């Protein structure tokens, strides 16, 4: 039950579906007396020196007939029936003893209930009730339906306050950013935040050291805790930012984030080291001249547990060696337990796509005594002209840690030999290998697959297929690995020269049993050959699952598409309709139809198919179409319709 925000003393039932019990007897044997006491509390109320809970008969309870399916005004009878059932059940289990004799739960039993609710309710253990703070600083518990009324009424003033102080509040992220310009402005804003109403639910002390501006203790701060949002206060010092993030469990993490180490003065470094931050993020590559600064920060950050650095591939080996050697040298005196090497600028890396630039990303986890480490890396080889270079040096030293490997058309047997030598002692961990297979022999590729016991995913990136030589090598790879390939890219000019022969080899969807990523990309806009339209329809459709040939061993199910790209293709309207009606949307998360001639009507057909054919939300997260198509008025309406069945979808 919740307190209605519009009618102060009106109480209504909060919508909640309840729980399924698998073992009724055991549940009521353990928790029945406690439930019975709670039902007595609802029926008869309670009085103490501090609180008065009125009996149910004194309350007017509003029942929403659109959501709750029992006669209005019948709540009292339901409570009575529940009490009678519990009393009878407990007396049978306890041999006629007082049914409330063991109503108090032990701490272990309360923890068991809490753990169950955390799983069933996705961390919300309060039965769809939410705590919120009114303008007069009263704490009330309301249903989620009415919580937003409090928020709407209390968000206006903080937004105006923050804007006036040259700050920013991003509501959907729960983030406040304050630019630290002067002692007076910063302290005035932080003082005002002590009584801000939108900051709710967090009453632990938060102390911030503000460099030369002194310190500020926010012991009465309240942070709004929504189930899916981590809220943070960000102080922008120019060369770096300090974020105080309040997690859903009420703990506070302090993070320092900066663009780069170069350019930091000794005063800047002193300010950084003053904060007891648990995370440090450096977005861009530390150069050799920055290494002393980095070591200094590591040695004096007494609570630093997680370090993230964006780095160019050429500096990856040097930076990783620097961090590892420093941690091993200082041992357990340094608290750092996780180091993440990321792409320059923290830009995500797509290892399903090959380009000229190399990439290395890694996660290094140190043991508690800092004498051992676990490491997992992803490597994208650049265009390779020789057997030497920073990325190959990285492979020679840490090849055993590679889990995802992507290689360009220049990846050859000699490079495969270097990789095999790197994993000789510790074994190979490669799970995914995406390759343009034009300069590597099938024997070398077979060896990489067989030496990796956890290998699950092969990607064939067949580019420049208009080249006769490349097409011949592509056909060899397709014939040999069609039953293994998970990621298939087909790309080239002069489509009529290469798509028909590939379509002939890959004639049906079931010859690619593991396929989950399919990309057909024409270099320039052109029409799909008439005899290949049916092939595209077959490739995007739901695979026909094989029948069992054995009474004891079921057949391995065919994998469904998760990502599909049809780029620069032209189809007749009737063919677009065939493709759209065939697309297997069950597991599809990413659909790219950019630079095609798909029309507004055909986009609407796709949306209507999703909305009409699925009773539960679909997995689709990204839909890429040309920008002009999205700018049309009808397209905006389609977005709203689609998001009903694909709530996570983004249009790009």
């Amino acid at each position: 039950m919740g307190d209605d925000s519009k009618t102060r003393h009106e109480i209504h039932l909060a919508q909640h579906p309840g729980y399924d019990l698998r073992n009724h007897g055991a549940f009521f044997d353990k928790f029945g007396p406690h439930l019975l006491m709670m039902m007595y509390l609802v029926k008869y109320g309670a009085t103490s020196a501090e609180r008065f809970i009125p009996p149910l008969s004194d309350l007017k309870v509003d029942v929403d007939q659109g959501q709750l399916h029992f006669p209005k005004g019948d709540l009292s009878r339901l409570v009575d029936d529940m009490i009678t059932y519990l009393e009878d059940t407990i007396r049978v289990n306890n041999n006629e003893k007082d049914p409330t004799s063991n109503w108090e739960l032990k701490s272990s039993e309360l923890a068991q209930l809490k753990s169950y609710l955390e799983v069933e309710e996705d961390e919300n253990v309060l039965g769809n009730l939410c705590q919120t703070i009114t303008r007069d600083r009263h704490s009330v518990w309301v249903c989620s339906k009415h919580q937003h009324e409090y928020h709407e009424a209390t968000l206006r003033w903080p937004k105006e306050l923050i804007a006036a102080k040259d700050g920013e509040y991003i509501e959907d992220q729960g983030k406040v950013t304050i630019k630290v310009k002067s002692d007076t402005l910063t302290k005035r804003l932080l003082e005002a935040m002590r009584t801000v109403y939108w900051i709710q639910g967090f009453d632990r002390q938060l102390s911030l050291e503000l460099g030369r501006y002194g310190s500020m203790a926010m012991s009465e701060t309240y942070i709004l805790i929504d189930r899916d949002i981590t809220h943070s206060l960000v102080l922008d010092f120019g060369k770096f930012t300090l974020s105080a993030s309040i997690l859903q469990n009420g703990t506070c993490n302090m993070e320092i984030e900066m663009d780069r180490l170069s350019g930091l003065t000794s005063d800047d470094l002193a300010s950084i080291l003053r904060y007891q931050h648990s995370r440090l993020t450096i977005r861009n590559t530390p150069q050799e001249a920055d290494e002393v600064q980095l070591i200094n920060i590591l040695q004096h950050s007494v609570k630093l547990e997680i370090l993230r650095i964006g780095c160019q591939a050429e500096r990856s080996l040097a930076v990783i060696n620097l961090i590892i050697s420093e941690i091993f040298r200082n041992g357990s005196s340094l608290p750092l337990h996780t180091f993440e090497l990321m792409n320059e600028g923290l830009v995500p890396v797509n290892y399903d796509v090959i380009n000229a630039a190399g990439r290395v990303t890694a996660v290094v986890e140190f043991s508690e005594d800092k004498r051992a480490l676990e490491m997992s890396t992803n490597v994208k080889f650049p265009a390779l002209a020789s057997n030497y270079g920073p990325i190959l040096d990285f492979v020679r030293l840490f090849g055993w840690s590679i889990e995802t490997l992507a290689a360009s058309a220049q990846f050859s047997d000699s490079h495969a030999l270097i990789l095999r030598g790197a994993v000789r002692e510790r074994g190979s961990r490669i799970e995914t290998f995406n390759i343009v297979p034009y300069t590597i022999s099938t024997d070398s590729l077979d060896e990489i697959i067989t030496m990796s016991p956890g290998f699950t995913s092969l990607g064939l990136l067949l580019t420049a297929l208009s080249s006769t030589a490349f097409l011949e090598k592509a056909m060899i790879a397709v014939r040999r690995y069609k039953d293994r390939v998970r990621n298939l890219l087909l790309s080239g000019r002069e489509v009529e020269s290469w798509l028909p022969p590939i379509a002939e080899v890959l004639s049906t969807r079931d010859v690619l049993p593991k396929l989950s990523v399919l990309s057909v990309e024409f270099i320039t806009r052109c029409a799909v050959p008439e005899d290949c339209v049916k092939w595209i329809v077959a490739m995007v459709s739901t695979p026909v699952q094989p029948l069992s040939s054995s009474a004891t061993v079921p057949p391995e199910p065919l994998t469904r598409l998760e990502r599909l790209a049809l780029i620069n293709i032209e189809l007749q309207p009737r063919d677009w309709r065939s493709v759209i009606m065939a697309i297997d949307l069950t597991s599809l998360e990413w659909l790219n139809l950019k630079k095609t001639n798909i029309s507004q009507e055909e986009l609407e057909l796709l949306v209507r198919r999703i909305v009409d054919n699925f009773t539960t939300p679909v997995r689709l997260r990204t839909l890429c179409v040309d920008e002009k198509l999205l700018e049309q008025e009808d397209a905006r309406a389609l977005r709203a319709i689609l998001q009903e069945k694909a709530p996570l979808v983004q249009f790009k």
Side-chain angles (χ1 to χ4, degrees):
M1 292 189 293
D3 180 18
D4 192 323
S5 58
K6 290 184 177 178
T7 307
R8 175 73 179 164
H9 297 292
E10 180 180 329
I11 294 176
H12 67 94
L13 293 180
Q15 184 185 17
H16 193 283
Y19 309 99
D20 293 326
L21 298 178
R22 294 187 179 90
N23 190 334
H24 296 72
F27 178 84
F28 287 116
D29 185 42
K30 177 178 287 190
F31 300 111
H34 182 78
L35 284 176
L36 180 59
M37 186 60 74
M38 295 302 103
M39 298 309 296
Y40 283 158
L41 186 64
V42 172
K43 180 176 176 63
Y44 300 114
T47 302
S48 69
E50 298 179 350
R51 286 178 174 78
F52 168 68
I53 301 175
L56 183 61
S57 58
D58 290 354
L59 298 175
K60 179 185 176 183
V61 180
D62 180 39
V63 177
D64 187 343
Q65 296 299 309
Q67 297 180 353
L68 301 165
H69 307 293
F70 58 86
K72 190 171 184 177
D74 215 22
L75 180 60
S76 296
R77 184 179 64 80
L78 288 176
V79 171
D80 288 339
D81 290 347
M82 183 65 177
I83 289 174
T84 301
Y85 174 81
L86 288 171
E87 288 176 339
D88 293 344
T89 302
I90 296 167
R91 284 195 178 99
V92 170
N93 292 343
N94 292 347
N95 298 319
E96 302 296 327
K97 293 180 181 178
D98 179 4
T100 61
S101 59
N102 297 313
W103 75 272
E104 292 186 86
L105 295 179
K106 300 175 183 177
S107 58
S108 59
E109 293 169 333
L110 287 171
Q112 184 180 357
L113 269 181
K114 185 173 183 292
S115 298
Y116 170 80
L117 291 174
E118 284 175 345
V119 173
E120 292 293 318
E121 294 282 354
D122 190 21
E123 301 296 332
N124 176 24
V125 299
L126 303 172
N128 278 8
L129 294 181
C130 310
Q131 185 186 29
T132 191
I133 310 297
T134 65
R135 277 191 176 274
D136 54 7
R137 304 302 299 275
H138 289 156
S139 174
V140 295
W141 292 86
V142 297
C143 69
S144 56
K145 177 181 177 182
H146 290 110
Q147 187 188 27
H148 74 279
E149 295 169 12
Y150 284 100
H151 295 172
E152 288 175 355
T154 57
L155 276 172
R156 298 188 193 97
W157 179 70
K159 290 180 183 177
E160 295 169 1
L161 170 72
I162 293 166
K165 304 301 180 186
D166 199 15
E168 181 184 19
Y169 174 52
I170 305 174
E171 183 175 344
D172 60 347
Q173 298 178 17
K175 176 187 283 188
V176 176
T177 300
I178 305 167
K179 293 186 177 179
V180 179
K181 291 187 174 180
S182 71
D183 182 7
T184 304
L185 284 178
T186 303
K187 284 194 173 183
R188 192 176 298 166
L189 179 56
L190 292 178
E191 285 285 358
M193 289 179 65
R194 290 183 173 184
T195 57
V196 169
Y197 313 114
W198 55 271
I199 304 183
Q200 303 169 6
F202 179 79
D203 56 6
R204 295 168 176 80
Q205 180 161 316
L206 171 62
S207 297
L208 298 177
E209 291 284 339
L210 300 179
R212 62 183 181 277
Y213 303 135
S215 64
M216 176 61 58
M218 302 169 65
S219 59
E220 297 181 11
T221 298
Y222 292 85
I223 299 297
L224 171 64
I225 301 295
D226 283 345
R227 291 172 64 179
D228 299 322
I229 298 177
T230 298
H231 291 257
S232 57
L233 170 67
V234 181
L235 299 177
D236 185 349
F237 290 87
K239 292 182 181 178
F240 66 93
T241 60
L242 169 67
S243 301
S245 299
I246 294 83
L247 307 181
Q248 295 170 15
N249 61 7
T251 59
C252 179
N253 282 344
M254 305 283 279
E255 178 175 3
I256 296 286
E257 185 168 346
M258 66 184 74
D259 279 332
R260 52 182 47 85
L261 285 169
S262 57
L264 290 180
T265 66
S266 57
D267 287 342
D268 294 327
L269 188 61
S271 295
I272 290 170
L273 295 177
R274 186 177 290 113
Y275 304 109
Q276 295 187 356
H277 52 280
S278 59
R279 297 169 65 101
L280 172 63
T281 299
I282 304 169
R283 286 187 287 268
N284 294 295
T285 306
Q287 301 301 326
E288 187 174 355
D290 302 324
E291 292 181 359
V292 174
Q293 293 268 50
L294 182 55
I295 291 174
N296 194 7
I297 291 174
L298 283 176
Q299 291 177 342
H300 295 92
S301 298
V302 296
K303 289 192 175 181
L304 181 62
E305 297 179 347
I306 299 174
L307 173 64
R308 302 192 310 161
I309 296 179
C311 190
Q312 297 170 343
E314 291 73 14
R315 285 281 299 164
S316 298
L317 180 59
V319 171
I320 286 181
N321 278 336
L322 177 69
I323 301 299
I324 291 175
S325 61
E326 188 63 24
I327 296 300
F328 281 1
R329 189 171 66 84
N330 287 273
S332 57
S333 63
L334 296 183
L336 187 76
H337 59 69
T338 302
F339 167 50
E340 297 181 40
L341 185 79
M342 309 179 77
N343 189 25
E344 174 84 347
L346 309 187
V347 178
V349 179
N350 183 0
Y351 288 94
D352 288 344
V353 177
I354 299 298
N355 47 34
R359 297 286 186 268
V360 175
T361 57
V363 176
V364 184
E365 295 183 334
F366 298 98
S367 62
E368 190 171 348
D369 61 6
K370 304 300 188 293
R371 294 180 179 178
L373 61 81
E374 270 299 321
M375 185 172 176
S376 61
T377 60
N378 303 317
V379 175
K380 179 184 285 192
F381 278 91
L384 298 166
S386 70
N387 290 346
Y388 300 94
I391 292 184
L392 282 169
D393 290 342
F394 180 92
V395 171
R396 287 183 173 94
L397 191 59
F398 295 115
W400 54 268
S401 68
I402 297 175
E403 294 182 355
T404 298
L405 181 64
S408 67
Q410 287 76 35
F411 190 86
S412 65
D413 289 355
S414 60
H415 301 125
L417 183 62
I418 293 171
L419 178 62
R420 293 201 301 274
V423 304
R424 186 171 291 116
E425 291 186 7
R426 302 184 63 164
S428 172
R429 298 184 184 180
I430 296 174
E431 298 174 357
T432 299
F433 188 19
N434 296 318
I435 185 170
V436 183
Y438 296 159
T439 55
I440 187 173
S441 67
T442 54
D443 289 342
S444 290
L445 185 51
D446 286 344
E447 284 190 48
I448 292 175
I449 293 173
T450 55
M451 76 181 185
S452 308
F455 191 89
T456 58
S457 175
L458 175 65
L460 295 180
L461 310 181
L462 308 179
T463 60
L465 288 171
S466 53
S467 162
T468 302
F470 288 167
L471 179 59
E472 290 177 358
K473 294 179 180 294
M475 296 295 289
I476 292 172
V478 165
R479 289 190 180 97
R480 187 176 185 88
Y481 300 110
K482 60 186 178 182
D483 60 339
R484 277 186 171 274
V485 65
R486 181 197 71 91
N487 175 12
L488 179 62
L489 166 65
L490 305 173
S491 176
R493 302 177 186 275
E494 303 171 8
V495 178
E496 64 281 353
S497 68
W498 57 265
L499 188 54
I502 287 181
E504 184 178 352
V505 174
L506 307 176
S507 55
T508 60
R509 177 68 175 81
D510 59 359
V511 303
L512 296 164
K514 297 185 182 296
L515 185 69
S516 63
V517 180
L518 174 63
S519 302
V520 180
E521 301 181 11
F522 299 167
I523 301 303
T524 57
R525 173 86 72 84
C526 61
V528 176
E530 187 66 29
D531 55 345
C532 293
V533 172
K534 291 183 178 179
W535 176 80
I536 290 180
V537 171
M539 289 297 105
V540 304
S541 62
T542 304
V544 178
Q545 300 300 331
L547 298 175
S548 177
S549 59
S550 169
T552 57
V553 181
E556 185 176 352
L558 273 66
T559 303
R560 294 176 179 269
L561 283 181
E562 297 175 4
R563 296 170 65 93
L564 172 62
L566 302 173
I567 298 175
N568 258 330
I569 73 170
E570 284 188 1
L571 292 171
Q572 295 295 325
R574 67 176 184 278
D575 295 331
W576 268 121
R577 288 193 289 272
S578 298
V579 170
I580 289 170
M581 295 306 294
I583 293 176
D584 181 9
L585 295 163
T586 308
S587 300
L588 198 67
E589 297 182 358
W590 186 80
L591 178 59
N592 189 346
L593 302 175
K594 291 188 70 174
K595 301 181 182 179
T596 66
N597 66 334
I598 189 171
S599 68
Q600 184 73 33
E601 292 75 19
E602 287 138 10
L603 181 61
E604 182 176 357
L605 177 64
L606 174 64
V607 172
R608 291 294 178 188
R609 179 166 174 247
I610 294 173
V611 172
D612 295 341
N613 290 12
F614 290 87
T615 57
T616 58
V618 297
R619 296 185 181 181
L620 189 64
R621 292 174 176 267
T622 303
L623 175 59
C624 301
V625 294
D626 284 346
E627 189 174 354
K628 291 181 180 179
L629 202 59
L630 291 177
E631 290 174 349
Q632 300 179 26
E633 186 67 31
D634 291 344
R636 287 194 285 270
L638 287 177
R639 289 189 184 199
I641 295 171
L642 179 58
Q643 285 175 330
E644 293 178 8
K645 284 294 173 63
L648 301 177
V649 71
Q650 293 182 343
F651 293 83
K652 297 184 178 180

